Amino acid sequence: MPELRYTPKRKNRIPEWILTGCAVILVACVLFRMFKLGHAIIWECLFLVAAVVAIWVSTRFLTSSYTYTLDYENNLFLVSQKQGRRITCLCRLNLSDLYLVRPYEERDKDANKMTRYIYCVTFHPAESYLLFFRNEGQNVSIRVECEGEFLAALERVAAAYHPTEEDSESADVEDDESAEQ
């Protein structure tokens, strides 16, 4: 099996609601400015903030998608972003550096100790996972949305390169038993 790909789908409509709210704010700011209600600088600043939020939400969540790839031939984990016709490789890490896959928790005790990248297409996903890598002497975590076969493959890779303490203890017991025979 040369590679395994997964492209997550958006699971909520929060970005559409944010864009609708921004559109209402933009129209209100134009009308209030046009009829000279209140101070103009307030409406202009609010217009600018709403426009920036609308652009960020639309480019980050509505017009882009991520694809996660496990390339077994080259021993790589890749994250690519598709935005319109442009495809960009955002992340390329060695699979042997993956040491842990676990569900994301809102309060993370390791948050201050490492660099974290978020490659989720859903605004505040209910279920996502953290992939922990050791890359060039520093710990890096990547937050992804995946499920099923792809998640199982990630967990197998992490277990294959970095077995847990329980796995290594049971392997030591088996080695001792085979040596005695």
Side-chain angles (χ1 to χ4, degrees), residues 18-19 21-23 25-26 29 45-55:
I18 292 172
L19 280 180
C22 287
I25 291 171
L26 292 171
C29 288
C45 289
L46 190 58
F47 182 91
L48 182 63
V49 168
V52 168
V53 168
I55 291 169

Side-chain angles (χ1 to χ4, degrees), residues 35 42 67 70 76 92 118 129 150 152 179:
F35 292 117
I42 294 172
T67 300
L70 288 175
L76 293 173
R92 175 178 288 177
I118 302 172
Y129 295 88
F150 193 82

Side-chain angles (χ1 to χ4, degrees), residues 91-160:
C91 175
R92 175 178 288 177
L93 293 167
N94 196 326
L95 283 177
S96 62
D97 294 338
L98 177 63
Y99 66 92
L100 179 64
V101 177
R102 70 168 172 83
Y104 172 76
E105 299 165 2
E106 196 66 35
R107 298 217 176 253
D108 191 2
K109 62 183 176 193
D110 297 326
N112 297 331
K113 300 176 186 172
M114 65 180 56
T115 305
R116 176 164 299 156
Y117 298 97
I118 302 172
Y119 299 123
C120 298
V121 294
T122 304
F123 193 83
H124 290 291
E127 186 176 355
S128 61
Y129 295 88
L130 288 175
L131 311 178
F132 292 91
F133 289 87
R134 284 190 187 95
N135 186 19
E136 298 178 4
Q138 69 179 12
N139 291 332
V140 175
S141 70
I142 297 174
R143 185 175 174 194
V144 297
E145 293 178 88
C146 60
E147 53 192 24
E149 182 183 341
F150 193 82
L151 177 60
L154 283 170
E155 290 171 340
R156 281 193 306 271
V157 167

Side-chain angles (χ1 to χ4, degrees), residues 1-6 67-72 76-78 148-154 156:
M1 176 166 45
E3 67 181 32
L4 183 63
R5 291 178 184 259
Y6 183 80
T67 300
Y68 317 128
T69 306
L70 288 175
D71 186 355
Y72 293 111
L76 293 173
F77 173 75
L78 305 164
E149 182 183 341
F150 193 82
L151 177 60
L154 283 170
R156 281 193 306 271

Side-chain angles (χ1 to χ4, degrees), residues 55-95:
I55 291 169
W56 178 75
V57 166
S58 64
T59 58
R60 171 68 175 84
F61 295 104
L62 296 177
T63 63
S64 65
S65 66
Y66 295 107
T67 300
Y68 317 128
T69 306
L70 288 175
D71 186 355
Y72 293 111
E73 284 182 2
N74 298 317
N75 199 31
L76 293 173
F77 173 75
L78 305 164
V79 177
S80 56
Q81 179 186 30
K82 182 177 181 184
Q83 198 166 25
R85 293 183 191 171
R86 182 181 63 187
I87 297 175
T88 307
C89 182
L90 300 176
C91 175
R92 175 178 288 177
L93 293 167
N94 196 326
L95 283 177

